[in-house]
Amino acid sequence: MKRLQWPSWMPIDPYIVLLLGTVGLAALFPARGTGADVASGASTAAIAFLFFLYGARLSTREALDGLKHWRLHVTVLTCTFVIFPLLGLAARGLVPVFLTQPLYQGLLFLTLVPSTIQSSIAFTSIARGNVPAAICAGSFSSLVGIVVTPLLAAGLLGGSAGGFAADSVVQIVLQLLVPFVAGQVLRRWIGGFVARHKKVLGLVDRGSILLVVYTAFSEGMVRGIWHQVSPVRLGGLLVVEAVILAVMLLLTWYGAKALGFGRADRIAIQFAGSKKSLASGLPMASVLFGPQASLAVLPLMLFHQMQLMVCAVIAKRRSHDPEETVEGSAAHPVQGQPQDRVLR
């Protein structure tokens, strides 16, 4: 029997369809009472296991070698944790004309989230950019974000984050950083197993995110949060996010050129410095916002789909650029990384 494949002409990633389906499931059958407690505990455990797998996959030597390209990593981190938040703060002037206060809080939180890993690698590979640099840049951003994102949220959102408290940083470190470090420690013994079963474990990645989405949106439905959002406000949010994405894509490309980076490095900087991670943002939002998490992650979910669609087009166009030899810029795809569809 011929295996069914997702139509190549469809602009929406199949994983986004699953995410939207999960939101619909939460709307129709939200978890309540004991079921909500079970779902919450399961999502926490799933995310911890997800970051454990991240730690087991990342080669320590690869990460250390990547430190040699420190100018590129500093540039990506500056885009992710300085320029993005500044754009988020600038959007404050759009309240209440374009955005409600809760939607703005979600938008500001979006700008504080670390960069992606897998999609940055995949797009860089498609565009024939510096793939090793993209691997390290995405990984460093995720690690730094475990601590920096909640600290920025504390300073910029403060008490407006519904469930934010002083111990939120500790909770996030315990849920994300500790499992990651454990994966690194055990990588010597389990790294081969993880590499051999990457497809099966990839289902764990995606399943854990779906579980977090279901838990967050179930709680939002039970508390009636979605009555606060109108189609007009959603349209305004999409316009604002499109502007932010366009600014970051232009800035990372032409700014990297002004800093003297070659084509391959500029590609890695553009894809790692202009995107935000749904996988990292969702569990952080559940800790920082508590009952308001479902509304807070809505801007991130919309931005996630938008960045995938736009960056997919850019990557394919960059793949047709003339070859350019750049010293220290490897433009070879990483084996096992997705080339056409990226989920995160």
Side-chain angles (χ1 to χ4, degrees), residues 25-50:
L25 181 64
L28 295 174
F29 306 102
R32 303 173 183 271
T34 303
D37 294 336
V38 172
S40 178
S43 63
T44 299
I47 290 297
F49 186 57
L50 172 63

Side-chain angles (χ1 to χ4, degrees), residues 255-268:
K257 181 180 181 180
L259 292 174
F261 289 100
R263 174 190 175 278
D265 288 343
R266 290 169 67 193
I267 289 173

Side-chain angles (χ1 to χ4, degrees), residues 98-115:
F98 275 85
L99 304 171
T100 63
Q101 184 63 25
L103 284 179
Y104 169 69
Q105 292 173 10
L107 179 70
L108 182 56
F109 172 72
L110 149 70
T111 64
L112 311 180
V113 171
S115 180

Side-chain angles (χ1 to χ4, degrees), residues 236-267:
L237 176 63
L238 286 172
V239 171
V240 174
E241 291 190 338
V243 171
I244 291 177
L245 179 59
V247 169
M248 290 307 301
L249 287 170
L250 292 172
L251 186 62
T252 51
W253 183 250
Y254 292 104
K257 181 180 181 180
L259 292 174
F261 289 100
R263 174 190 175 278
D265 288 343
R266 290 169 67 193
I267 289 173

Side-chain angles (χ1 to χ4, degrees), residues 152-162 164-165 288:
L152 287 174
L156 300 181
L157 289 169
S160 62
F164 187 82
L288 295 174

Side-chain angles (χ1 to χ4, degrees), residues 36-216:
D37 294 336
V38 172
S40 178
S43 63
T44 299
I47 290 297
F49 186 57
L50 172 63
F51 276 78
F52 173 79
L53 291 178
Y54 284 168
R57 289 169 180 164
L58 179 64
S59 168
T60 306
R61 178 180 297 179
E62 199 172 57
L64 293 176
D65 289 342
L67 289 174
K68 298 176 182 178
H69 210 350
W70 63 270
R71 287 183 65 245
L72 184 147
H73 302 312
V74 169
T75 301
V76 171
L77 290 175
T78 300
C79 292
T80 303
F81 296 114
V82 178
I83 299 178
F84 250 118
L86 288 177
L87 292 176
L89 290 173
R92 178 65 180 84
L94 300 176
V95 178
V97 178
F98 275 85
L99 304 171
T100 63
Q101 184 63 25
L103 284 179
Y104 169 69
Q105 292 173 10
L107 179 70
L108 182 56
F109 172 72
L110 149 70
T111 64
L112 311 180
V113 171
S115 180
T116 63
I117 300 177
Q118 285 188 345
S119 59
S120 296
I121 297 169
F123 286 138
T124 301
S125 175
I126 293 170
R128 296 183 291 108
N130 190 340
V131 175
I135 294 173
C136 295
S139 301
F140 293 156
S141 177
S142 294
L143 287 175
V144 171
I146 291 175
V147 176
V148 171
T149 296
L151 289 178
L152 287 174
L156 300 181
L157 289 169
S160 62
F164 187 82
D167 63 347
S168 294
V169 175
V170 177
Q171 293 181 44
I172 291 175
V173 168
L174 291 176
Q175 187 176 352
L176 307 184
L177 182 58
V178 171
F180 181 90
V181 173
Q184 278 281 285
V185 172
L186 296 177
R187 187 180 187 278
R188 177 180 177 183
W189 295 279
I190 67 174
F193 176 84
V194 171
R196 289 191 302 270
H197 298 83
K198 62 177 63 178
K199 290 186 178 180
V200 175
L201 294 176
L203 297 177
V204 176
D205 289 5
R206 296 184 282 274
S208 61
I209 299 303
L210 294 176
L211 184 56
V212 172
V213 169
Y214 175 76
T215 302

